[in-house]
Amino acid sequence: MNSQATDQNYMARAIQLAKKGHFTTHPNPRVGCVIVKNNQIIGEGYHLVAGQPHAEVNALSSVKPTNASLIENATAYVTLEPCSHIGKTPPCADALVNSGVKRVVVAMLDPNPQVSGRGVKTLLDANIDVSVGILEEQSRALNPGFIKRMEKNRPFIRVKMAMSLDGKTAMSSGESQWITGSEARQDVQRLRAQSDAILTGTGTVIDDDPSLNVRLKPIDLGFEEDQFESCRQPLRVVLDSHLRIQSSAKMLCLPGDTLIYTCNGDNDKIKELSQSGAEVKVLTTSHISLHDVVSDLAAREINEVHVEAGATLCGALLSEQLVDEIIIYMAPTILGGDAKSLFNLPALQLIKDKIDLDIKDIRAIGKDWRITAIPNF
């Protein structure tokens, strides 16, 4: 096996490890690390929870104390550039320098422009050989939200919709439960669990009174029974221009936080909702700006937003080019011409104005089909 193939092999293992933090690292990125000596893995680790040790430290610590000297002159493979600043934990670049490794292979640089390259510089200044770019595309796929927030100052936005075979999401009355089967709904629970926030509109809250929570147990996500007591609940975000949501809404009675964006400064209503557990953020504009909302969510360290909303909000996000991924569950049923469509969009007059999509994946989920698409803006 040549050196490039060897590097790819060990980096693939580091990526596999990083995926173990898929549901838990918020707001930190998912990172994996492997320590190799004489073509053998002697240590490995991954980041699990913010505030706890990072992947590099866990990998170094996993080497048996009696074999700690093996780390000297070893090679470390890490999916993201080791951090070089002091946050909740010490810099990982320093930990690697102090460990005695002679080479570090990095899949991708830190996407944060303020720190990108500093970890590599720390390693180079310590005369450690550094290689960058091994399986970079696969490493970027681990953290679409973290990267989007660092590079574009907004979260990665994923829109989930369920539709019939004729492209309808609900009956004309608004009735929509349930278009898809239980397997698809269980799959959606995993999408919620990996997200930092679930976004919806006031119409959905009033019509459906949804919970918008994760109803899985940690064991359902692949964790051991005693590893976590419960699943993390994403922040519930409601866009409610006129503050029509009621303090009795189901989501306000459930574990987890709810954030309401509004243009209505009614102090009595705000106090009532606050007493029910919601945070109400009053915008100073006459209407809710989606760009302002996503910027504010980024400032709150929200990496991935999962959207479960009606055609109006989903259409507005699409029109503003704020949708990064669309996941549609298509059920083998027909709802008819009067039923509601997927997206409310301004009328398109010319074929050149259509929104093209790249289909990334199609697979069966129970009796339904899940389609994953990326808009081409």
Side-chain angles (χ1 to χ4, degrees):
M1 184 180 294
N2 61 42
S3 58
Q4 183 176 10
T6 299
D7 285 347
Q8 290 177 344
N9 181 56
Y10 290 125
M11 188 61 76
R13 173 56 184 166
I15 290 172
Q16 186 180 36
L17 289 167
K19 292 179 180 179
K20 292 179 177 289
H22 188 70
F23 300 101
T24 56
T25 62
H26 164 84
N28 291 351
R30 301 141 184 159
V31 183
C33 179
V34 172
I35 310 296
V36 177
K37 182 74 174 288
N38 297 327
N39 291 321
Q40 289 187 335
I41 294 177
I42 61 171
E44 56 184 29
Y46 60 95
H47 184 47
L48 183 62
V49 176
Q52 294 184 8
H54 290 184
E56 299 92 326
V57 172
N58 284 332
L60 293 169
S61 300
S62 72
V63 180
K64 295 180 180 179
T66 55
N67 293 332
S69 60
L70 283 177
I71 298 177
E72 186 173 351
N73 295 324
T75 297
Y77 293 84
V78 60
T79 59
L80 181 68
E81 178 182 9
C83 61
S84 58
H85 59 283
I86 298 177
K88 294 181 180 179
T89 59
C92 292
D94 290 349
L96 289 170
V97 169
N98 296 332
S99 73
V101 299
K102 71 172 182 179
R103 181 174 181 243
V104 177
V105 182
V106 178
M108 63 173 289
L109 295 178
D110 191 320
N112 186 341
Q114 296 181 339
V115 299
S116 181
R118 292 186 181 181
V120 167
K121 184 178 185 303
T122 297
L123 298 173
L124 292 173
D125 288 347
N127 295 318
I128 293 175
D129 181 23
V130 180
S131 299
V132 179
I134 302 297
L135 298 189
E136 179 174 0
E137 182 178 353
Q138 293 88 331
S139 181
R140 289 182 68 88
L142 290 169
N143 297 294
F146 180 77
I147 294 171
K148 180 71 71 171
R149 179 163 66 87
M150 291 296 123
E151 294 181 346
K152 302 296 183 181
N153 192 36
R154 73 166 180 84
F156 182 93
I157 298 177
R158 178 182 295 109
V159 172
K160 186 280 300 184
M161 306 193 84
M163 74 174 190
S164 61
L165 195 60
D166 53 344
K168 305 298 183 178
T169 63
M171 304 305 293
S172 58
S173 64
E175 181 185 0
S176 63
Q177 296 180 340
W178 299 101
I179 295 175
T180 56
S182 59
E183 294 91 344
R185 297 197 296 273
Q186 187 80 349
D187 196 56
V188 171
Q189 286 290 312
R190 295 180 65 85
L191 291 178
R192 289 182 181 182
Q194 76 180 55
S195 303
D196 305 320
I198 302 174
L199 175 66
T200 194
T202 184
T204 298
V205 175
I206 291 173
D207 292 342
D208 299 339
D209 195 19
S211 299
L212 295 185
N213 62 346
V214 176
R215 295 187 285 274
L216 300 175
K217 297 179 180 179
I219 195 171
D220 297 323
L221 298 177
F223 297 110
E224 297 177 6
E225 290 189 17
D226 59 347
Q227 200 166 3
F228 293 99
E229 292 184 0
S230 61
C231 292
R232 175 182 60 86
Q233 292 296 332
L235 175 68
R236 294 181 286 267
V237 181
V238 181
L239 305 189
D240 187 359
S241 297
H242 304 294
L243 215 54
R244 295 189 295 153
I245 186 173
Q246 298 299 310
S247 58
S248 59
K250 186 187 300 182
M251 66 175 63
L252 299 181
C253 304
L254 298 170
D257 298 324
T258 299
L259 169 63
I260 302 170
Y261 289 97
T262 186
C263 302
N264 185 345
D266 184 337
N267 289 327
D268 290 338
K269 186 63 179 291
I270 292 172
K271 181 179 179 180
E272 178 186 342
L273 290 168
S274 298
Q275 290 175 341
S276 295
E279 175 188 352
V280 180
K281 183 175 179 64
V282 180
L283 304 176
T284 58
T285 52
S286 59
H287 68 283
I288 293 178
S289 164
L290 294 176
H291 287 275
D292 289 347
V293 167
V294 298
S295 293
D296 186 67
L297 290 175
R300 295 169 183 262
E301 297 188 309
I302 298 297
N303 291 329
E304 295 185 29
V305 173
H306 173 82
V307 181
E308 292 193 29
T312 299
L313 177 53
C314 291
L317 288 166
L318 197 60
S319 296
E320 294 290 335
Q321 299 187 2
L322 290 173
V323 177
D324 298 294
E325 184 176 80
I326 301 171
I327 295 184
I328 297 175
Y329 295 87
M330 185 173 67
T333 187
I334 294 174
L335 298 185
D338 292 334
K340 296 185 177 182
S341 300
L342 283 174
F343 297 97
N344 284 343
L345 294 168
L348 304 179
Q349 302 299 326
L350 302 173
I351 193 68
K352 69 179 181 63
D353 297 326
K354 69 183 186 301
I355 299 174
D356 290 321
L357 305 174
D358 283 337
I359 304 297
K360 295 299 184 181
D361 184 73
I362 300 178
R363 67 182 62 196
I365 304 292
K367 68 174 185 176
D368 307 305
W369 286 93
R370 188 184 70 193
I371 304 169
T372 303
I374 309 296
N376 279 329
F377 294 127

